[in-house]
Amino acid sequence: MNSYIRAELRRTGGFTDRSLRVVLDSATLPLDQARELRRLVEELDLTRVGAEIGATCRADLTRYELAVENGGRHWRATVCEPTVPRELRPLLRFLTSAARAPLPG
């Protein structure tokens, strides 16, 4: 594996307030999941995506607080529906599904 990746997602708000929190670490994930996390993060231009984020989050909107560490570089942003950048959605889906997955064993 090339670089260490850690991603943390907190989802709050929305009409039903389906809150969740997940932290994924490429060093502790199964190999296939670590590869997918790495692919999703490395395909993003986080600097450009971050520059596009600017909408104010209202209390009734689903809010995503995302933090990514990629090889020692840190990125953090808060985005809300419906203005989540298109490029960020695959990573958010991956993290959300990981939060819902049953624990192994």
Side-chain angles (χ1 to χ4, degrees):
M1 303 228 140
N2 305 10
S3 63
Y4 170 81
I5 296 181
R6 181 180 184 276
E8 180 176 353
L9 173 67
R10 285 187 40 156
R11 182 184 70 195
T12 58
F15 182 70
T16 60
D17 192 23
R18 297 179 332 198
S19 298
L20 66 80
R21 180 177 181 268
V22 63
V23 177
L24 296 183
D25 183 321
S26 63
T28 59
L29 284 171
L31 189 58
D32 60 328
Q33 291 177 352
R35 283 185 184 139
E36 182 65 4
L37 177 63
R38 178 170 290 102
R39 182 187 71 77
L40 290 168
V41 169
E42 290 180 351
E43 284 181 356
L44 287 172
D45 180 348
L46 293 173
T47 302
R48 188 182 58 72
V49 170
E52 293 178 1
I53 298 170
T56 303
C57 293
R58 296 189 332 249
D60 60 338
L61 297 176
T62 301
R63 173 188 193 108
Y64 301 96
E65 296 173 39
L66 180 62
V68 175
E69 180 182 348
N70 182 3
R73 295 175 50 198
H74 299 270
W75 182 85
R76 181 177 300 273
T78 299
V79 295
C80 295
E81 292 293 355
T83 61
V84 174
R86 178 183 48 82
E87 307 86 67
L88 204 50
R89 289 190 182 277
L91 178 59
L92 292 178
R93 275 193 299 272
F94 179 78
L95 294 170
T96 300
S97 66
R100 295 180 182 156
L103 296 173

